[in-house]
Amino acid sequence: MGRTALRTLAERVLDLNWTGDHTVPSRSLYPHQWSWDSAFVAIGLAHAAPDRAWRELESLFRAQWADGRVPHIVFNPAVPEGDYFPGPAFWDGPTTGLVQPPVHAVAVREIFRRTADRERLAWFYPRLCAQQAYLTTRRDAAGDGLVSIVHPWESGLDNSPSWDEALARLPADPELLRVHRRRDIRVAAPAHRPTDADYARYLAIAGAYRDRGYHDDDLAGRHGFVMECPSFNALRAAADIALAEIAEELGLPAAHHRERARAIVSAMVEHLFDPRTGMFHARAVPSGERAAARCVNGLVPLVLPGLPEEIAASLVEAATSPRFGLGGALPVTSYDRTAADFDPVRYWRGPIWINMNWLLHRGLLGHNHPAPAALLRDRMLDLVGTGGCYEYYHPVTGAGLGAAEFSWTAALTLDLLENP
Ligand code: 9WN
């Protein structure tokens, strides 16, 4: 498909999934508003429909909690309870109490660059600061300057092998799946989705957090799943860099944002980088054990401009190795291709995701690797141009998998087309 036809296709997907004040990730599988999806969508809409880009994030931030957290799903009250599980009845409210990676400050900066709308920028700035403050003060479960996630869904890489060891320590209660019927495996192929055992654990962890009123006190002592995720923390540092630029634009002090970004990068290098694998790994709290699996979230810190150059070089090397295949015929996989349990179809355990590759593309450019960045961009555009805007793609055949007409794939395709 030519680049012009691809732009038309991507815009059509975003139009199809627009509800009037936000974009659903996919009409079939995800009929509500997801937090980091909206940020990626806004980055694409900034090119195609900038007013809609602002409205996308405004609707999300209108659901921000008083404590500053931006919920991972904002439920659309017009959508029947049965259309997504776990829906509002399970979470006991109009939003979930979980969060997702804070890509929003980067998105706001991108929309501002294209609109120069200072009034809207000023509306967002305190809200984005409150989002960061929640993460910094309430979610540093280990007290080491890194944010902990309390559920695999918070990482956005739900089913990643990064969480296997931590999940294996928790009981999988089959009764939970008798009480609550899964909807995802009625809409998508079960072989592409998490297993029942993992889903039972997801429900148990979410239910325990909900039953404690979503309080974050003594997470390390009281909660069953507490993990430091390298891509979540990298995106949090990237958010502070974007916030520094936003603050300067508004004539406000910015140094504290840059200082916090620096502190996050140092803590990540100290606690999450493994010189033996040359990449970052998730880490359990309070045990401090690093997950053995090599997953794409361990490469995403390449987005950080402040990363020591030898570490950036080591990430590029790991990405280029046969484990992830950067520079090959297809974009980078979500998991180590050489791992015994690499699964080409199950989500986050092998397939290729456009948002992860879009972040790596930015990282390659930021660390002065223009040739592999250009190649990766072409590979992404070819993949989407051949298969359509899928949720993820088969790492051998490039076939589209998961939800068709998936919003962030369309949005980030638009951004890649606009930024040659
Ligand atoms: C649970 C919406 C979301 C993405 C996540 C992705 C998937 C949800 C699910 O879909 O998660 O949040 O039901 O599996 O893993 O990254 O935000 O697109």
Side-chain angles (χ1 to χ4, degrees):
M1 184 184 297
R3 299 302 194 230
T4 309
L6 185 53
R7 181 178 288 112
T8 307
L9 172 78
E11 289 181 3
R12 199 165 49 76
V13 168
L14 291 179
D15 289 348
L16 186 78
N17 292 342
W18 174 249
T19 63
D21 73 352
H22 69 273
T23 308
V24 294
S26 127
R27 290 270 171 198
S28 56
L29 204 50
Y30 308 117
H32 299 284
Q33 181 174 30
W34 263 259
S35 169
W36 80 328
D37 296 62
S38 275
F40 290 125
V41 163
I43 289 168
L45 285 177
H47 303 286
D51 182 60
R52 242 164 74 194
W54 284 119
R55 285 159 67 198
E56 177 80 37
L57 292 180
E58 282 159 1
S59 63
L60 179 70
F61 275 78
R62 276 198 296 273
Q64 184 172 29
W65 288 27
D67 65 8
R69 86 182 81 190
V70 175
H72 123 270
I73 307 175
V74 181
F75 295 109
N76 178 349
V79 171
E81 180 74 33
D83 282 9
Y84 180 77
F85 177 77
F90 176 89
W91 296 98
D92 207 12
T95 73
T96 73
L98 302 178
V99 296
Q100 271 189 324
V103 192
H104 314 84
V106 168
V108 164
R109 184 191 58 196
E110 301 289 312
I111 317 171
F112 177 74
R113 280 183 182 161
R114 275 155 197 93
T115 60
D117 189 335
R118 200 161 268 101
E119 209 177 301
R120 278 168 136 164
L121 190 71
W123 187 87
F124 273 106
Y125 179 69
R127 290 167 172 82
L128 292 165
C129 290
Q131 176 187 30
Q132 291 288 83
Y134 166 74
L135 295 173
T136 305
T137 60
R138 306 301 302 150
R139 285 300 194 88
D140 184 356
D144 59 3
L146 295 173
V147 158
S148 287
I149 56 169
V150 300
H151 197 292
W153 287 334
E154 294 202 308
S155 68
L157 294 78
D158 312 358
N159 200 22
S160 166
S162 297
W163 324 124
D164 284 1
E165 289 132 334
L167 288 178
R169 280 193 283 272
L170 300 173
D173 178 4
E175 183 56 25
L176 280 171
L177 292 179
R178 272 193 285 278
V179 178
H180 303 289
R181 293 275 309 283
R182 290 178 70 173
R183 179 176 181 275
D184 61 322
I185 48 173
R186 282 182 273 146
V187 182
H192 298 185
R193 300 287 302 176
T195 61
D196 271 355
D198 280 342
Y199 223 86
R201 293 183 177 107
Y202 294 164
L203 294 179
I205 304 166
Y209 191 46
R210 173 203 60 205
D211 293 346
R212 280 213 317 278
Y214 303 109
H215 286 307
D216 296 310
D217 301 334
D218 188 22
L219 283 174
R222 294 165 65 184
H223 193 64
F225 181 96
V226 185
M227 296 287 300
E228 294 172 339
C229 171
S231 56
F232 194 112
N233 278 289
L235 292 168
R236 179 174 153 249
D240 260 314
I241 295 166
L243 282 171
E245 290 169 24
I246 293 171
E248 277 157 6
E249 193 60 53
L250 295 170
L252 297 169
H256 60 295
H257 291 301
R258 293 195 201 282
E259 185 40 51
R260 189 163 55 198
R262 267 194 295 277
I264 297 169
V265 174
S266 320
M268 286 179 60
V269 170
E270 184 182 345
H271 299 297
L272 306 185
F273 185 73
D274 186 342
R276 288 165 306 178
T277 62
M279 53 187 292
F280 290 84
H281 293 255
R283 190 171 85 131
V285 177
S287 74
E289 274 167 41
R290 274 201 292 259
R294 299 172 207 234
C295 306
V296 70
N297 56 351
L299 301 176
V300 166
L302 192 63
V303 291
L304 295 170
L307 206 61
E309 272 316 310
E310 68 279 8
I311 293 198
S314 150
L315 295 181
V316 175
E317 196 184 322
T320 313
S321 75
R323 294 182 192 279
F324 291 98
L326 174 67
L330 292 169
V332 168
T333 50
S334 50
Y335 182 36
D336 177 357
R337 283 177 180 272
T338 68
D341 57 349
F342 176 80
D343 186 332
V345 294
R346 209 178 284 280
Y347 90 156
W348 297 112
R349 305 185 74 89
I352 294 166
W353 292 74
I354 292 299
N355 65 338
M356 293 290 111
N357 280 279
W358 179 86
L359 290 165
L360 293 177
H361 175 253
R362 289 223 156 178
L364 288 167
L365 287 176
H367 288 280
N368 204 20
H369 296 279
L375 187 64
L376 180 58
R377 172 181 177 274
D378 285 347
R379 294 292 186 245
M380 282 191 269
L381 293 177
D382 290 346
L383 191 63
V384 180
T386 308
C389 295
Y390 273 86
E391 187 179 5
Y392 45 95
Y393 297 86
H394 194 287
V396 179
T397 66
L401 297 170
E405 287 155 342
F406 190 68
S407 294
W408 83 40
T409 303
L412 298 177
T413 296
L414 281 179
D415 186 66
L416 291 171
L417 286 168
E418 295 301 329
N419 289 311

